C-alpha cells in the first residue's frame, strides 16, 4: 500500500524517531508499505519512516544494481531497523542529492565516503555492515531523517540561500493539503 508522504514543513520531519522495541506485525506491515511507497514514487531510492508520518527508527533503501553505470538499475532492497552509525571516514565527497519530502530540489551535499552501520533486519537479527560511496550516501541521508535532519541542513549558506525561495514554495504548496 502506498502511504502519504510528509513534505518539507511538516513537523514530523524534524522529530527524532523513537526506537522500535518489538518487530511485530505492525512493523512488518509498515516496512512493506514503505517499500511500496519508495518504489511507487518517481526517483524513490530510499525512504525513512518519518517521511510517511511515523516517527519510528526504520528506513528502507533500494541500492543500485552492481552493473549500474549511467542508467539507474534497481538492485537489492534493504531494511534498517534501529540503525546506529558506528563509524564514518574522514574523507568526504560532494554529490547531488534530492529527497522525496522535498520534491524537485537538488543540492550538492558533502558526505563521508565510508560508513559502518549497525542495524536490525525484519527478523530482529543485528548485523554490522560497511558501505562505500553512493550506498554510504544513501544510508547517511536516510539515517539523518531519523534524527530530524534534512539534506538542506548540510549544505553551505550560499547554496541554502539560493534554495530558500523554492523551499518556501514547497512548504506553501504542501501545507495547504
Ligand atoms: Zn530524504
Amino acid at each position: 500500500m502506498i502511504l502519504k508522504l510528509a513534505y518539507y514543513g511538516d513537523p514530523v520531519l524534524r522529530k527524532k524517531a523513537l526506537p522500535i522495541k518489538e518487530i511485530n506485525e505492525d512493523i512488518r506491515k509498515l516496512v512493506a508499505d514503505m517499500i511500496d511507497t519508495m518504489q511507487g514514487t518517481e526517483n524513490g531510492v530510499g525512504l525513512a519512516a518519518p517521511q510517511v508520518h511515523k516517527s519510528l527508527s526504520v528506513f528502507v533503501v533500494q541500492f543500485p544494481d552492481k552493473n549500474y553505470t549511467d542508467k539507474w538499475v534497481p538492485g537489492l532492497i534493504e531494511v534498517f531497523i534501529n540503525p546506529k552509525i558506528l563509524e564514518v571516514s574522514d574523507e568526504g565527497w560532494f554529490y547531488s542529492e534530492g529527497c522525496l519530502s522535498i520534491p524537485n530540489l537538488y543540492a550538492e551535499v558533502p558526505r563521508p565516503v565510508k560508513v559502518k552501520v549497525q542495524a536490525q533486519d525484519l527478523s530482529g537479527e543485528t548485523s554490522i555492515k560497511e558501505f562505500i560511496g553512493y550506498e554510504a550516501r544513501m544510508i547517511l541521508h536516510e539515517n539523518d531523517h531519523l534524527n530530524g535532519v534534512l539534506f538542506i541542513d548540510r549544505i553551505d549558506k550560499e547554496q541554502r540561500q539560493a534554495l530558500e525561495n523554492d523551499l518556501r514554495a514547497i512548504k506553501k504548496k504542501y501545507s495547504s493539503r
Side-chain angles (χ1 to χ4, degrees):
M1 192 175 94
I2 293 192
L3 303 170
K4 247 180 94 179
L5 286 172
Y7 292 100
Y8 177 69
D10 193 314
V12 73
L13 294 175
R14 292 310 195 175
K15 274 201 213 160
K16 192 165 165 51
L18 293 173
I20 291 171
K21 288 191 186 120
E22 192 201 343
I23 301 166
N24 55 23
E25 200 46 48
D26 288 348
I27 296 299
R28 281 192 287 272
K29 169 89 174 106
L30 170 65
V31 167
D33 288 344
M34 284 171 64
I35 291 170
D36 285 349
T37 306
M38 171 178 72
Q39 294 193 301
T41 312
E42 204 183 346
N43 299 325
V45 294
L47 189 71
Q51 294 182 275
V52 290
H53 304 272
K54 296 271 185 230
S55 200
L56 291 170
S57 186
V58 54
F59 65 79
V60 297
V61 291
Q62 182 155 33
F63 293 123
D65 187 79
K66 289 277 175 262
N67 300 315
Y68 152 75
T69 48
D70 52 342
K71 187 181 169 293
W72 180 265
V73 182
L76 202 68
I77 291 176
E78 253 189 81
V79 180
F80 293 78
I81 297 172
N82 299 322
K84 226 168 115 187
I85 303 294
L86 300 179
E87 240 178 85
V88 292
S89 61
D90 291 334
E91 194 194 343
W93 65 305
F94 281 82
Y95 197 74
S96 174
E97 280 186 34
C99 180
L100 295 184
S101 294
I102 314 176
N104 304 317
L105 194 140
Y106 302 90
E108 295 282 318
V109 182
R111 298 273 185 198
V113 170
K114 277 193 225 165
V115 60
K116 191 190 272 186
V117 59
Q118 173 190 303
Q120 284 170 275
D121 63 16
L122 276 174
S123 63
E125 199 86 39
T126 300
S127 61
I128 295 174
K129 289 181 190 168
E130 270 194 345
F131 296 92
I132 301 173
Y134 191 74
E135 295 187 354
R137 176 173 295 275
M138 291 168 78
I139 284 163
L140 290 164
H141 176 117
E142 299 310 329
N143 192 71
D144 270 354
H145 276 300
L146 305 182
N147 294 311
V149 174
L150 301 171
F151 77 91
I152 50 166
D153 303 335
R154 296 200 176 273
I155 59 181
D156 60 45
K157 262 208 176 98
E158 279 116 77
Q159 258 204 101
R160 176 69 186 252
Q161 212 94 61
L163 296 176
E164 219 41 69
N165 277 340
D166 291 338
L167 284 170
R168 216 170 297 133
I170 291 169
K171 206 179 211 169
K172 202 174 159 207
K173 178 173 174 188
Y174 291 101
S175 66
S176 55
R177 289 192 167 187

